[in-house]
Amino acid sequence: MEWRDTGFVLAARRHGESAMVVELLTREHGRHAGLVRGGQSPKLRAVLQPGNKVATVWRGRLAEHLGSIACELERAHAEPILDDPDRLAGHDRPRLCLAPHRARGIPGYGFALS
């Protein structure tokens, strides 16, 4: 049995010397786990970070088996932050405003994020 889908990496844990067991949340197949051979290599370790969107090929004898997964990165979760120098420098962080007249976001607390 084989299927192809896109999904997000939920978790990745070591398995043996070089493999990883990866849990994915896919569009068509829901939450699914599989073994990624060579997943601990520097190249694949970056792809298998939680939150990354990956193109996946899952192969297994039966749908209930763990199966093996081949992943290719579609979008990294840190990509929007790393592409923006202002966000890297922290210039777009919300500031805490303690003025009661500006408490527009949190009623009853006398402060708001601005």
Side-chain angles (χ1 to χ4, degrees):
M1 177 175 201
E2 177 179 315
W3 52 259
R4 296 173 187 272
D5 204 350
T6 60
F8 292 92
V9 177
L10 297 178
R13 59 187 180 276
R14 294 177 60 146
H15 184 75
E17 289 185 18
S18 63
M20 294 188 89
V21 174
V22 178
E23 287 185 59
L24 302 170
L25 181 62
T26 64
R27 181 181 299 267
E28 298 294 325
H29 298 89
R31 187 174 176 183
H32 220 82
L35 182 72
V36 178
R37 298 185 200 293
Q40 293 184 44
S41 69
K43 180 182 174 187
L44 280 178
R45 201 172 3 188
V47 172
L48 300 175
Q49 294 295 313
N52 284 350
K53 185 177 181 183
V54 293
T56 304
V57 178
W58 182 90
R59 290 181 185 94
R61 203 171 132 236
L62 297 173
E64 296 82 25
H65 288 182
L66 182 64
S68 63
I69 290 180
C71 292
E72 185 176 316
L73 184 65
E74 281 194 2
R75 182 171 171 99
H77 71 281
E79 178 184 353
I81 296 168
L82 294 175
D83 284 345
D84 187 359
D86 288 333
R87 289 184 77 180
L88 280 174
H91 294 303
D92 70 335
R93 292 192 323 212
R95 295 179 302 278
L96 187 62
C97 174
L98 298 176
H101 66 278
R102 297 205 48 203
R104 61 180 180 258
I106 306 171
Y109 287 97
F111 63 88
L113 295 174
S114 61

